[in-house]
């Protein structure tokens, strides 16, 4: 046993060393600072469409998105009593590698000019979006993969995320600024498929999830607070331009409030103890944010955001009570952190909501915003109905790429 432990440590050490040396070489050859006040190198439909924003505004936005990825997601996996501290360490490992790899992979597609990748605040925001999706994926397999396997999952996951993002945002012209599809849905179903391939019949997932103590609950409290503070910035990081009102931030706040209240409505009904656990509030917060990923920058209206958030907040509780046992017994999925209920299903709901709002979009309702939210519709290249059909088609495309990629990775 000691020999096996030593071999595992050396394997992790060697892989980290090789990957970091490779990244340093690639950065030395390709990566350069983006020239100040230069025309954006960003693709027109990329999730870094803050290209027209004031440069001074991008850096606080990047800070908020980065804190959200590192602290929000990192602390949320600590609620598992058995794997909590180790899970936080693995999350930091994933963030450290995913950011560097995403800069390169996304750079070749979106920021490549004259043989170089030019990086700035917007490329870092895009890399953080990618990292968030991978952290969602890792939540489905925590406790069943070692750090070496997690690095390999990250390597393939970042590549497939970027491919899916490129197909949706650049080739199809989908509007998904907050990542209902590209971040939440892709991340959840990619991780679930990996989990399915790695199925271990004797693992009791429910026991793991209930194996919590005071310290993990404390981490869940802090992680949830970080979600509340920074997720509106995360959702609106690629949408706030010029002097436009930040609809995405406002809609996300309303959705978070309603989804949290939904937990206090449903939890006493479904659970005999009647006490709302912090993990349940955490999942409702994630669901409320996921549902606003696509629709956040659209004309949801404040009361519409409340309705969407409330419905999304019901999904995790109902999913854990009724759907998860069925999926576990029949499809043999083992979802350690419940990403299907907190990210996958709310992400799909957000995509459907975004599709509906796209079909209803008019120039009179959006005014000058129509060009920012739906540039192809504003230019006359598409009708609102055509754009809505494209948004709807993006859902099966994402699910297909996530599941095929997850199967390959597993």
């Amino acid at each position: 046993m000691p020999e096996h432990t030593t071999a595992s440590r050396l394997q992790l050490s060697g892989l980290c060393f090789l990957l970091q040396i490779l990244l340093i070489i690639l950065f030395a050859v390709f990566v350069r600072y983006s020239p100040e006040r230069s025309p954006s190198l960003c693709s027109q439909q990329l999730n870094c469409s803050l290209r027209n924003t004031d440069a001074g505004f991008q850096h606080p936005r990047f800070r908020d998105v980065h804190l959200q990825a590192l602290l929000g997601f990192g602390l949320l996996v600590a609620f598992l009593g058995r794997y909590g501290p180790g899970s936080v360490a693995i999350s930091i490992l994933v963030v450290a590698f995913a950011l560097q790899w995403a800069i390169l992979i996304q750079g070749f597609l979106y920021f490549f000019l004259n043989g170089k990748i030019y990086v700035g605040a917007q490329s870092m925001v895009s890399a953080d979006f990618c990292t968030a999706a991978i952290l969602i994926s890792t939540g489905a397999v925590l406790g069943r993969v070692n750090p070496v396997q997690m690095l390999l999952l990250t390597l393939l996951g970042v590549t497939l995320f970027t491919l899916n993002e490129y197909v949706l945002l650049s080739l199809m012209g989908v509007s998904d600024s907050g990542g209902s599809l590209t971040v939440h849905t892709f991340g959840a179903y990619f991780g679930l498929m990996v989990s399915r391939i790695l199925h271990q019949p004797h693992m009791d997932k429910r026991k793991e999830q209930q194996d919590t103590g005071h310290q993990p609950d404390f981490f869940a409290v802090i992680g949830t607070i970080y979600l509340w503070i920074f997720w509106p910035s995360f959702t609106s990081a690629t949408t706030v331009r010029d002097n436009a009102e930040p609809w995405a931030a406002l809609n996300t706040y309303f959705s978070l409030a309603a989804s949290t209240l939904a937990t206090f409505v449903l939890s006493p009904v479904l659970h005999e103890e009647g006490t709302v656990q912090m993990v349940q509030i955490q999942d409702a917060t994630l669901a409320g944010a996921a549902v606003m990923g696509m629709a956040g920058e659209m004309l949801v209206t404040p009361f519409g955001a409340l309705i969407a958030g409330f419905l999304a907040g019901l999904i995790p509780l109902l999913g854990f009570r009724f759907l998860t046992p069925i999926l576990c017994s029949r499809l043999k999925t083992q979802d350690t952190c419940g990403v299907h209920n907190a990210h996958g299903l709310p992400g799909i709901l957000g995509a459907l909501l975004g599709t509906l709002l796209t079909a209803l979009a008019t120039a009179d309702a959006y005014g000058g915003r129509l060009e920012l939210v739906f540039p192809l519709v504003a230019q006359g290249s598409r009708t609102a109905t055509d754009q809505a059909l494209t948004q709807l088609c993006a859902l099966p495309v994402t699910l297909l790429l996530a599941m095929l990629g997850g199967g390959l990775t597993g």
Side-chain angles (χ1 to χ4, degrees):
M1 192 68 176
E3 292 181 2
H4 175 72
T5 304
T6 302
S8 298
R9 290 204 313 269
L10 293 177
Q11 198 174 39
L12 175 62
S13 176
L15 181 60
C16 287
F17 178 78
L18 289 176
L19 288 175
Q20 188 61 70
I21 293 299
L22 175 62
L23 288 168
I24 289 172
I25 294 172
L26 291 173
F27 267 65
V29 174
F30 294 108
V31 179
R32 299 293 183 270
Y33 293 124
S34 180
E36 293 190 22
R37 302 190 181 281
S38 64
S40 173
L41 304 171
C42 185
S43 173
Q44 197 170 22
Q45 287 86 22
L46 176 63
N47 237 0
C48 62
S49 52
L50 44 71
R51 56 191 179 280
N52 296 326
T53 12
D54 177 74
F57 184 71
Q58 293 180 21
H59 299 290
R61 192 66 57 174
F62 158 65
R63 176 200 61 205
D64 291 351
V65 172
H66 191 60
L67 283 170
Q68 167 74 345
L70 187 62
L71 292 175
F73 284 101
L75 290 175
L76 288 179
V77 299
F79 78 94
L80 294 171
R82 189 177 304 174
Y83 302 115
S87 297
V88 176
I90 289 179
S91 293
I92 296 175
L93 172 65
V94 168
V95 169
F97 174 58
L99 283 174
Q100 299 178 71
W101 186 235
I103 286 291
L104 287 168
I105 299 298
Q106 292 181 327
F108 284 119
L109 288 176
Y110 304 118
F111 304 99
F112 197 67
L113 183 65
N114 298 327
K116 302 297 179 184
I117 297 171
Y118 291 94
V119 297
Q122 64 187 30
S123 56
M124 292 305 298
V125 168
S126 297
D128 273 320
F129 268 71
C130 178
T131 301
I134 303 307
L135 287 172
I136 291 171
S137 300
T138 61
V141 296
L142 279 176
R144 299 200 304 282
V145 298
N146 60 41
V148 171
Q149 293 169 321
M150 199 68 85
L151 280 175
L152 297 177
L153 182 150
T154 303
L155 181 72
L156 291 172
V158 167
T159 306
L160 291 164
F161 168 90
T162 305
L163 173 63
N164 180 64
E165 184 184 58
Y166 180 74
V167 170
L168 264 60
L169 304 184
S170 292
L171 299 184
M172 297 177 65
V174 171
S175 176
D176 187 29
S177 60
S180 280
L181 285 177
T182 55
V183 176
H184 297 280
T185 303
F186 178 86
Y189 287 97
F190 176 80
L192 285 171
M193 196 63 187
V194 175
S195 176
R196 173 62 186 87
I197 300 299
L198 300 179
H199 173 67
Q200 298 174 9
H202 303 296
M203 170 132 343
D204 187 352
K205 180 182 76 68
R206 298 304 296 178
K207 182 177 180 181
E208 287 183 24
Q209 286 191 315
Q210 294 166 1
D211 180 20
T212 59
H214 175 74
Q215 187 177 19
D217 279 343
F218 172 76
F219 280 129
V221 171
I222 301 301
T224 304
I225 291 174
Y226 270 107
L227 291 178
W228 264 87
I229 295 173
F230 294 113
W231 204 299
S233 294
F234 185 92
T235 307
S236 62
T238 65
T239 63
V240 181
R241 283 159 283 186
D242 303 320
N243 295 318
E245 283 295 325
W247 283 3
L250 296 173
N251 290 329
T252 303
Y253 269 119
F254 296 140
S255 181
L256 290 175
S259 64
T260 302
L261 203 61
T263 304
F264 288 87
V265 171
L266 198 56
S267 182
V269 176
L270 294 180
H271 301 280
E272 294 180 0
E273 62 272 16
T275 302
V276 178
Q277 298 179 359
M278 199 63 215
V279 172
Q280 295 171 344
I281 299 176
Q282 163 190 308
D283 290 336
T285 303
L286 291 168
V291 78
M292 280 296 115
M294 179 182 290
E297 67 173 337
M298 301 177 188
L299 190 57
V300 186
T301 71
F303 78 89
L306 290 175
I307 294 173
F310 186 80
L311 293 176
L314 300 176
I315 291 176
L317 287 167
L318 292 173
F320 278 118
R321 182 65 181 270
F322 301 109
L323 183 59
T324 298
I326 296 175
L327 294 178
C328 186
S329 61
R330 296 188 180 181
L331 298 182
K332 310 302 180 185
T333 59
Q334 295 174 326
D335 184 3
T336 307
C337 291
V339 299
H340 185 235
N341 299 312
H343 296 279
L345 292 178
I348 291 176
L349 178 62
L352 297 177
L353 175 61
T355 300
L356 174 63
L357 293 171
T358 303
L360 299 176
T362 63
D364 291 338
Y366 280 77
R369 259 183 200 272
L370 188 66
E371 186 177 359
L372 300 178
V373 182
F374 304 113
L376 296 177
V377 176
Q379 296 164 11
S381 303
R382 289 179 182 171
T383 64
T385 302
D386 292 337
Q387 183 68 35
L389 289 174
T390 303
Q391 302 279 129
L392 184 61
C393 291
L395 176 57
V397 170
T398 296
L399 292 174
L400 180 64
L401 286 174
M403 291 183 177
L404 288 178
L408 172 66
T409 302

